Amino acid sequence: MERNPFRCASRAPGGILSFLRFGRFRQIFPRVFIPMSSFSELLIDRTRWSSVFYAIAAYLLAAFLFSSVWFFGSWEMWWFWGVLILLCASCAFAGVGAALDICMGSPSRRYPARAIVALLSLVPFLGYGLIRATGESSPGMPIVAMEAERSLLLFATPVFVALLTLVCTNHRMRRIMLWLLLADMVLVGICGVVNHYLTNDMRILWVAANDFHYEGRASAPFYCPNHFSAYLNIGICYLAAICCTPGVKRKTFLLSLVVALLLTAANSYSLSRGGLASLFAGLAVGIPLFALRGHRPLFRFGGTFLGLLIAIGIGCAVRYTNNPLMQRMEKHPLWHAWMTSESHSKFADRFSDSFWYQFDRGTYIDSALRAWRCNPVWGIGPGQHSNRWGQFAATEDGVRPVNGDPKTLKKPRLTNTSYHLYEVHSDWTQLLEEYGVVGFLLFLIAYFTIAAVVFIRQGTVLAYSSSPIMERALPTAALLLLCVYTIHSLFDFSLQIPAIVWTIGFLLSAAVLACSDSAAQAGRGEIS
């Protein structure tokens, strides 16, 4: 008859500590609850206390990433600060762990040089943003501190997510977080579709969508359907990377393909022209250039050709069938200019006229560029677009040309007091407007540094066949994500949504770490 381990532990000399350290405690309670060491080992070996603080910080980071999307993307101020408490707590525990490492003189881990380089590339941009926020938007016009704080936090918090990923997570924890994020995206897709059929999108979670009802387009848990689409695009890019990774098992390939198709189907309920177009355009560029690396040339050519045929088929199905997405496309002024132009010269004129004076994004971008020209080198200041909008935005009087003749244009006589715009609806334009040429170039340096680190080591990661598929797919997923969001950010402001930039920050940092880990394995000759 087997004895009760709890009774034996309590009666043995030093029973509880012996049970905790040597007994069946690890079998009774899974290791997920004690990821680094048991409690008794901590009492004996104080140099490992830091591991517990790092583990708590990692779990808080996972909870932060998982929950942020369910509070309307953490866009509004009260939800942003409420969710950010988890990130602050994670930073606090990680800081205690680092302090213990320093005090004990025995660091528990080493940090790869490539990850440090990628993080340091962001420091000049953040430093410039902090300095710029202390100046004036323009001579005699001070910067609104709260708006500057919001803008800087949108750039700084993903960097903290990346830093915590580097300091606090190991391979196992990152895989757990990747599974959680994929599950989160599936749940978001289900939530959007179910909400669409149950309420006709008249509610967003527990809030009535009075001012955020977009003609029956799925958006929950986000206010805007375009952000719903952008968030799902992250999961689709990652699953596409898994499907394209050399050596993927058939079951994993089929499961990833099915889930990617389901997320795409949920995405289609958003009817987001920009979100869906950027997804297919980004994948059309990224899959042949990046995702098929590591395959034979014949396979790459065949895969590219097959993908082209699928894209043409999807395009024809959307174009020549009666569907809600095509009905929205036909209302677009740029589509109308394309379909009604009789010659190339007329098309160019009509397209320009439609973009700048009829397309809402065009008018927003035009006003942002006017604001940028008042301080092109340094920009108008972080987060100052919404405060300067009324000064530079176009009003109805004398704005639109008569019969397309630019000579009939007049300067607006009044400031725009009837409509307030928080964002430009173009992340790239808003970056240039608020941070100027200097900030724009500093951001591009960080952008291309991270892309280069991932791209250069992507081949090494793909060759490391013994590494789990979820890690081997990370660099490819990061490159696909950069392709999609580079296009999407031309005409939308999804990178102004905290939950989206936090998720992207984690995936990019995990991809850089996957590159660094595989490079180290290659240096030891462990590439199989």
Side-chain angles (χ1 to χ4, degrees):
M1 181 176 178
E2 188 175 357
R3 293 182 298 176
N4 187 331
F6 289 99
R7 292 184 61 187
C8 295
S10 61
R11 291 181 180 180
I16 293 296
L17 288 180
S18 300
F19 167 66
L20 289 174
R21 189 176 184 186
F22 304 108
R24 295 181 59 196
F25 185 82
R26 294 174 182 265
Q27 300 176 15
I28 296 172
F29 299 100
R31 288 195 176 194
V32 68
F33 295 107
I34 306 181
M36 300 299 176
S37 58
S38 69
F39 180 69
S40 64
E41 289 172 338
L42 292 177
L43 294 177
I44 296 170
D45 186 4
R46 294 187 179 183
T47 61
R48 300 183 68 185
W49 282 5
S50 61
S51 298
V52 170
F53 286 97
Y54 286 140
I56 295 173
Y59 287 123
L60 286 171
L61 178 63
F64 166 75
L65 293 172
F66 184 86
S67 62
S68 61
V69 69
W70 293 104
F71 296 96
F72 311 98
S74 305
W75 188 22
E76 293 177 304
M77 178 180 62
W78 41 90
W79 296 122
F80 174 83
W81 286 110
V83 174
L84 200 65
I85 291 174
L86 289 172
L87 182 65
C88 295
S90 180
C91 289
F93 278 100
V96 173
L100 287 173
D101 273 345
I102 294 172
C103 293
M104 298 296 178
S106 55
S108 59
R109 61 188 71 193
R110 294 180 178 179
Y111 306 117
R114 290 176 183 83
I116 295 174
V117 168
L119 275 174
L120 290 179
S121 68
L122 291 158
V123 172
F125 173 77
L126 293 176
Y128 167 77
L130 285 171
I131 295 172
R132 183 67 188 90
T134 62
E136 292 183 327
S137 180
S138 62
M141 181 169 290
I143 283 180
V144 179
M146 183 177 289
E147 297 291 354
E149 177 186 83
R150 180 190 62 83
S151 178
L152 290 172
L153 283 173
L154 277 173
F155 287 105
T157 47
V159 176
F160 280 105
V161 169
L163 182 62
L164 289 168
T165 304
L166 168 66
V167 173
C168 304
T169 63
N170 52 23
H171 292 276
R172 181 171 173 273
M173 189 63 207
R174 288 195 291 274
R175 286 197 294 272
I176 291 174
M177 294 170 73
L178 288 170
W179 278 112
L180 282 174
L181 286 177
L182 282 177
D184 211 13
M185 291 167 190
V186 172
L187 290 174
V188 166
I190 293 173
C191 175
V193 175
V194 171
N195 183 68
H196 174 75
Y197 282 108
L198 289 182
T199 71
N200 194 27
D201 302 293
M202 294 302 295
R203 297 193 69 82
I204 302 172
L205 297 179
W206 59 87
V207 175
N210 298 325
D211 298 327
F212 298 96
H213 185 250
Y214 293 85
E215 301 175 352
R217 297 168 56 197
S219 65
F222 296 91
Y223 287 118
C224 178
N226 297 330
H227 305 151
F228 173 76
S229 174
Y231 185 74
L232 294 183
N233 284 348
I234 300 174
I236 295 170
C237 287
Y238 183 52
L239 292 167
I242 292 177
C243 292
C244 295
T245 301
V248 60
K249 295 181 180 179
R250 182 176 299 177
K251 290 182 179 179
T252 305
F253 173 84
L254 292 176
L255 178 61
S256 300
L257 181 62
V258 169
V259 177
L261 291 175
L262 290 175
L263 288 181
T264 305
N267 196 342
S268 66
Y269 279 85
S270 70
L271 301 181
S272 174
R273 295 169 298 204
L276 292 169
S278 62
L279 173 66
F280 286 105
L283 292 181
V285 173
I287 288 178
L289 291 179
F290 308 122
L292 295 181
R293 287 182 74 191
H295 290 283
R296 295 175 185 151
L298 184 61
F299 184 90
R300 295 184 68 175
F301 175 78
T304 303
F305 183 72
L306 178 62
L308 183 63
L309 290 179
I310 293 173
I312 292 174
I314 293 174
C316 291
V318 173
R319 172 67 182 88
Y320 296 106
T321 59
N322 186 20
N323 58 84
L325 181 59
M326 194 59 216
Q327 292 171 9
R328 287 202 73 231
M329 286 292 297
E330 290 173 349
K331 298 177 183 178
H332 201 289
L334 298 182
W335 177 270
H336 186 263
W338 181 24
M339 297 301 294
T340 57
S341 298
E342 299 176 358
S343 64
H344 178 74
S345 59
K346 289 185 177 180
F347 169 72
D349 293 338
R350 287 199 177 189
F351 186 88
S352 177
D353 178 71
S354 298
F355 182 83
W356 295 111
Y357 306 114
Q358 297 177 24
F359 181 34
D360 55 355
R361 263 56 168 183
T363 59
Y364 303 158
I365 292 171
D366 191 27
S367 68
L369 292 177
R370 283 198 295 272
W372 165 69
R373 290 188 193 101
C374 77
N375 196 350
V377 177
W378 311 109
I380 64 173
Q384 300 307 298
H385 166 77
S386 60
N387 299 300
R388 304 294 298 274
W389 162 259
Q391 181 181 354
F392 294 100
T395 56
E396 292 295 331
D397 55 315
V399 173
R400 300 181 187 278
V402 179
N403 297 326
D405 185 3
K407 296 179 181 178
T408 62
L409 282 174
K410 298 178 182 178
K411 265 193 168 183
R413 293 181 295 103
L414 305 171
T415 57
N416 193 331
T417 58
S418 61
Y419 183 69
H420 188 75
L421 190 74
Y422 288 97
E423 316 293 350
V424 181
H425 289 63
S426 171
D427 288 319
W428 290 112
T429 307
Q430 187 163 349
L431 177 66
L432 178 65
E433 175 199 20
E434 296 183 343
Y435 289 83
V437 173
V438 174
F440 192 83
L441 291 177
L442 290 175
F443 183 83
L444 285 182
I445 290 172
Y447 175 92
F448 284 112
T449 299
I450 295 170
V453 167
V454 175
F455 176 76
I456 290 171
R457 288 297 174 182
Q458 183 198 13
T460 305
V461 178
L462 294 176
Y464 185 38
S465 58
S466 61
S467 131
I469 188 66
M470 296 191 76
E471 291 187 26
R472 284 199 293 142
L474 277 171
T476 303
L479 293 171
L480 292 179
L481 202 59
L482 290 176
C483 288
V484 171
Y485 269 83
T486 299
I487 298 171
H488 194 201
S489 293
L490 291 171
F491 303 109
D492 204 1
F493 65 104
S494 294
L495 295 184
Q496 300 288 328
I497 305 303
I500 293 178
V501 294
W502 294 336
T503 304
I504 292 175
F506 167 73
L507 286 176
L508 291 180
S509 59
V512 171
L513 287 173
C515 293
S516 303
D517 294 339
S518 293
Q521 297 285 357
R524 294 196 295 268
E526 298 181 17
I527 299 295
S528 58

